[in-house]
Amino acid sequence: MKGNQTISLEFFPPREAAAREKLAEAARELVARRPAYVSVTYGAGGSTRAGTADTVQLMQSLGMDTAPHLSCIGSSRAELIEILDGYREQGIRRLVALRGDLPSGMGRHPGEVHYANELVDLIREHSGDAFHIEVAAYPEVHPQAPSAAKDLDHFVAKVEAGANGAITQYFFNVDAYFDFVERARARGVGIPITPGIMPITNYTQLARFSKMCGAEIPRWLAARLADFGDDRASLRAFGADFVASLAQRLLDQGAPGLHFYTLNNAEATLAVWNRLSLD
Ligand code: FAD
């Protein structure tokens, strides 16, 4: 890994007590590897507000620079401002600003802040430069975008609103990432665009997630993963080799670092991390 390349880790707030214990163990194990920062997801419309706050506190208690995610859809400006002020008081200096997706059937009003660029505007307007802001990027195009060109316009709008960095949706195709970065650079975007890395441990779950978020599993990869059937250990070993090779190519070709979607599982992230050759 070259001098300033960084590794960051994403966690989600657990729902049950047993999962909380598992998260605390995974976090302790991963934090010992000294990631640059950790982030904690947030359910749209505030559905995980308390859980996110608890998990942020856990990460801070482990001494980590912690970036809560904040999604705007389904929330009022007043709610968002209250959260921003709370984080500032708590010593948070970094946020991941998102639109989010309203869960179907949630029945909440879409709120007052409709897109992530408007949330970045709100944060800058209300909190100035108190936070370093990361936004999301989609090398394979956001599933609701009318076109790749429009999606890039919307990404550029988030950067112009004041984002300091971007984290991508996960992908399994290196070309998609470098093509996106090149198109963003051609539009004058200078901020780091860090690839999001999804470890592969469970094919059924991965296929479901990927369909929802518009990440493509190449046909050959889907076929190889399907072949493992119930042989989870072999699938994990193959998945770790594959994802580590993808991550290594990204770093070697100049990505600014890696952001792991840990899914609160230390083993899966470490299996990839331990396979990387880092300078
Ligand atoms: P936006 O950038 O607002 O884009 C959403 C869609 O609207 C895109 O199709 C875009 O092209 C379009 N668009 C944007 N601006 C405009 C505009 N002004 N006019 C018309 N169309 C527009 N979800 C959560 O609920 N909680 C999380 O913690 C979370 N963390 C994430 C972390 C990362 C790194 C990533 C990549 C995604 C995460 N998500 C999370 C998922 C994310 O909320 C969804 O992908 C969501 O659908 C889009 O969020 P966004 O911030 O990218 O939205």
Side-chain angles (χ1 to χ4, degrees):
M1 203 153 71
K2 298 177 193 95
N4 48 5
Q5 287 174 316
T6 57
I7 290 189
S8 52
L9 306 174
E10 180 171 315
F11 296 90
F12 67 86
R15 287 211 185 94
E16 291 128 24
R20 274 200 287 279
E21 205 33 60
K22 191 174 159 248
L23 165 68
E25 259 173 54
R28 275 192 286 272
E29 207 176 331
L30 286 165
V31 159
R33 300 291 299 265
R34 300 183 170 275
Y37 72 94
V38 298
S39 78
V40 180
T41 63
Y42 181 82
S47 55
T48 66
R49 187 166 166 177
T52 299
D54 285 351
T55 306
V56 165
Q57 264 183 4
L58 166 71
M59 297 298 164
Q60 285 188 302
S61 74
L62 297 174
M64 283 311 306
D65 179 4
T66 305
H69 294 206
L70 180 59
S71 58
C72 57
I73 202 161
S75 296
S76 67
R77 287 175 67 88
E79 279 171 307
L80 294 167
I81 284 172
E82 189 188 313
I83 294 172
L84 290 173
D85 289 346
Y87 282 147
R88 204 165 160 176
E89 272 171 33
Q90 215 179 310
I92 295 293
R93 293 289 169 263
R94 192 187 272 274
L95 293 171
V96 182
L98 302 144
R99 182 194 72 174
D101 293 304
L102 274 186
S104 55
M106 195 166 154
R108 263 189 83 130
H109 187 267
E112 295 171 344
V113 185
H114 302 105
Y115 292 105
N117 68 303
E118 296 170 25
L119 177 60
V120 177
D121 275 337
L122 171 67
I123 300 170
R124 289 292 177 234
E125 188 188 302
H126 181 74
S127 310
D129 287 332
F131 300 105
H132 172 110
I133 305 176
E134 299 282 340
V135 290
Y138 300 86
E140 295 184 317
V141 185
H142 185 268
Q144 290 157 7
S147 67
K150 281 270 177 228
D151 207 29
L152 182 63
D153 289 346
H154 298 144
F155 175 69
V156 172
K158 296 193 273 197
V159 178
E160 288 175 347
N164 304 99
I167 303 168
T168 76
Q169 183 56 276
Y170 68 88
F171 53 87
F172 297 115
N173 176 350
V174 171
D175 289 341
Y177 169 78
F178 286 108
D179 175 71
F180 179 80
V181 171
E182 200 178 305
R183 288 188 300 124
R185 298 287 178 248
R187 291 285 300 272
V189 169
I191 61 170
I193 300 173
T194 303
I197 302 294
M198 179 65 90
I200 299 180
T201 57
N202 177 326
Y203 176 50
T204 316
Q205 188 191 52
L206 183 73
R208 187 162 40 83
F209 267 13
S210 302
K211 199 167 168 197
M212 266 175 353
C213 68
E216 186 180 59
I217 307 178
R219 184 177 150 81
W220 71 269
L221 180 60
R224 292 290 313 275
L225 295 172
D227 273 353
F228 289 106
D230 290 335
D231 183 357
R232 297 280 298 277
S234 302
L235 179 133
R236 283 203 189 109
F238 170 84
D241 283 342
F242 172 78
V243 175
S245 148
L246 174 95
Q248 190 73 56
R249 275 180 287 153
L250 290 164
L251 292 173
D252 292 348
Q253 292 176 44
L258 304 171
H259 180 81
F260 280 98
Y261 295 107
T262 71
L263 302 181
N264 297 357
N265 177 339
E267 200 187 332
T269 294
L270 289 175
V272 176
W273 197 341
N274 290 338
R275 280 168 166 80
L276 299 174
S277 18
L278 309 170
D279 298 337

